[in-house]
């Protein structure tokens, strides 16, 4: 770490988000697909939430967990993308220290909460396939609500100390943050203090929260596959696998870029900085955009309701014209 001697310390009042370092001339063009992905994420997740909340027949565990996932996706993309686009379009990268900490806090809380929701969805599929007779008894609306509250509470408790880990640091180099949004290690690396505690805490969170969730999801799907292949009928096996297909796609879209970005950030020292930033942008954009598409296309009940919503909207427009 850089020694703290002979440095003039300062408390940064504002940070300046610089966008993607080395790609400043291309940022306007990069913003176009990013903006389109954000619009799709907004519309898709809002539609999923609306359909599940308004259709009483969808007030079942799988769909209630899906509404939680859509809410998390909506919040994650909205916490990051508007400021990201402001940086790309208007060079409006200035953000107060308090606002930067707030954005950092919510990004990490939502991300860890989403991981917990994916774990809850894996448990839902495990009970539905491996213990179907107890499904409605185990996963009542009260239990589902408590699981959602537990996911948020766990995320809050894990990330809350990060605020103090950042606030204790002394800054002396610069307030230029080479990123499109505020995240823990991006801020910590601007400090002149020893950030070993920040590094180890971030690593512990990644392993004990995100990593543990991923392992438990893998275990649950191992048990699910064992149960599925013990079914006597081929049609029953295919039906069971189809019910898990959407969730598996969503899991891969969530964890693959997240873990790749995490390991590249810590061990890929030869990887250019703009690759790190692009990866960080993609994992707050791609899952929120694709999750509602995957569930909308692969889940007949959701697809049917989506078609009905568009049919009603088109009918009203035709009558008004």
């Amino acid at each position: 770490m850089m020694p703290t001697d002979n440095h003039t310390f300062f408390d940064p009042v504002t940070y300046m988000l610089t966008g993607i370092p080395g790609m400043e001339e291309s940022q306007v063009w990069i913003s176009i697909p990013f903006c389109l992905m954000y619009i799709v994420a907004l519309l898709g997740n809002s539609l999923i939430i609306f359909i599940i909340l308004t259709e009483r027949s969808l007030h079942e565990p799988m769909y209630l967990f899906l509404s939680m996932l859509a809410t998390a996706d909506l919040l994650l993309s909205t916490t990051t993308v508007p400021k990201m686009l402001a940086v790309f379009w208007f060079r409006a990268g200035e953000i107060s220290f308090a606002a930067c900490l707030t954005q950092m806090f919510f990004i990490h809380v939502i991300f860890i909460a989403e991981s917990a929701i994916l774990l809850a969805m894996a448990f839902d599929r495990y009970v539905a396939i491996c213990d179907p007779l107890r499904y409605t008894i185990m996963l009542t609306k009260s239990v589902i609500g408590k699981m959602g509250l537990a996911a948020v509470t766990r995320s809050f408790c894990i990330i809350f100390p990060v605020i103090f880990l950042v606030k204790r640091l002394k800054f002396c180099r610069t307030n230029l943050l080479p990123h499109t949004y505020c995240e823990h290690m991006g801020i910590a690396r601007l400090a002149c203090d020893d950030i070993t505690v920040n590094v180890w805490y971030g690593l512990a969170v990644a392993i004990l929260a995100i990593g543990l969730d991923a392992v438990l999801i893998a275990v649950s799907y191992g048990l699910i596959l064992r149960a599925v292949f013990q079914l006597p009928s081929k049609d029953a096996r295919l039906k069971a696998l189809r019910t898990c297909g959407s969730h598996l796609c969503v899991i891969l879209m969530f964890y693959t870029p997240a873990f790749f970005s995490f390991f590249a950030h810590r061990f890929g020292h030869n990887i250019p900085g703009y690759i790190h930033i692009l990866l960080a942008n993609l994992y707050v954009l791609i899952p929120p955009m694709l999750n509602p598409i995957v569930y909308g296309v692969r889940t007949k009940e959701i697809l049917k309701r989506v078609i009905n919503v568009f049919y009603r909207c088109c009918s009203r427009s035709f009558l008004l014209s």
Side-chain angles (χ1 to χ4, degrees):
M1 299 298 169
M2 214 173 152
T4 57
D5 299 333
N6 301 322
H7 288 294
T8 303
F9 296 115
F10 70 97
D11 292 322
V13 177
T14 60
Y15 282 122
M16 186 62 68
L17 295 166
T18 61
I20 304 174
M23 300 186 70
E24 289 80 5
E25 299 301 320
S26 307
Q27 286 183 162
V28 173
W29 298 107
I30 293 171
S31 70
I32 296 172
F34 280 15
C35 182
L36 292 175
M37 284 191 280
Y38 178 55
I39 291 170
V40 172
L42 278 181
L43 295 176
N45 287 293
S46 299
L47 186 59
I48 291 286
I49 294 167
F50 173 77
I51 288 170
I52 292 173
L53 291 180
T54 55
E55 293 284 345
R56 293 187 63 84
S57 61
L58 296 181
H59 291 185
E60 297 176 6
M62 185 177 78
Y63 301 110
L64 293 175
F65 285 128
L66 177 55
S67 69
M68 292 182 194
L69 181 69
T71 302
D73 281 336
L74 205 57
L75 292 173
L76 182 64
S77 56
T78 301
T79 303
T80 53
V81 180
K83 186 63 180 177
M84 184 192 304
L85 294 177
V87 173
F88 289 160
W89 290 341
F90 311 113
R91 300 288 190 267
E94 188 172 358
I95 184 171
S96 70
F97 183 64
C100 197
L101 283 183
T102 302
Q103 187 188 47
M104 175 202 76
F105 175 76
F106 279 107
I107 288 169
H108 293 307
V109 165
I110 296 164
F111 188 79
I112 293 175
E114 186 159 344
S115 178
I117 293 167
L118 289 173
L119 175 59
M121 294 174 81
F123 177 71
D124 167 73
R125 291 299 85 204
Y126 166 77
V127 176
I129 292 172
C130 298
D131 198 1
L133 296 178
R134 299 179 60 199
Y135 183 70
T136 54
I137 299 171
M138 293 179 66
L139 289 169
T140 62
K141 288 182 181 179
S142 174
V143 169
I144 293 166
K146 288 174 183 176
M147 290 172 74
L149 182 62
V152 174
T153 303
R154 183 191 75 152
S155 302
F156 179 87
C157 293
I158 289 172
I159 298 302
F160 191 66
V162 174
I163 295 175
F164 299 98
L165 289 178
V166 172
K167 286 179 71 70
R168 74 182 177 87
L169 297 174
K170 292 182 174 64
F171 297 86
C172 64
R173 298 175 187 168
T174 177
N175 66 342
L176 295 178
L177 189 58
H179 212 306
T180 54
Y181 57 82
C182 298
E183 53 95 21
H184 174 214
M185 290 311 300
I187 301 172
R189 285 198 170 93
L190 297 181
C192 291
D193 279 342
D194 187 339
I195 61 169
T196 303
V197 175
N198 298 71
V199 172
W200 281 107
Y201 192 83
L203 188 62
V205 168
I207 293 172
L208 298 178
I210 307 296
L212 181 60
D213 288 348
V215 169
L216 291 174
I217 289 170
V219 170
S220 68
Y221 269 97
L223 295 172
I224 287 170
L225 289 174
R226 187 181 69 176
V228 166
F229 288 113
Q230 288 176 350
L231 294 173
S233 166
K234 181 180 178 182
D235 290 338
R237 289 197 296 269
L238 290 173
K239 183 179 178 181
L241 289 173
R242 275 198 297 269
T243 63
C244 298
S246 301
H247 187 230
L248 281 171
C249 290
V250 167
I251 288 169
L252 290 173
M253 288 187 299
F254 179 82
Y255 285 107
T256 302
F259 278 120
F260 190 82
S261 178
F262 173 79
F263 287 114
H265 204 59
R266 280 160 177 78
F267 306 111
H269 301 296
N270 296 325
I271 299 175
Y274 68 88
I275 298 294
H276 291 293
I277 308 302
L278 281 173
L279 284 172
N281 290 336
L282 290 176
Y283 81 65
V284 299
L285 269 169
I286 289 180
M289 176 191 69
L290 291 181
N291 287 352
I293 295 173
V294 168
Y295 273 102
V297 171
R298 292 184 62 89
T299 309
K300 290 181 180 178
E301 291 80 1
I302 296 288
L303 182 59
K304 181 180 176 181
R305 267 71 175 190
V306 169
I307 293 170
N308 287 340
V309 167
F310 280 107
Y311 177 76
R312 288 199 299 267
C313 290
C314 291
S315 298
R316 287 174 185 172
S317 299
F318 178 76
L319 290 172
L320 289 173
S321 62

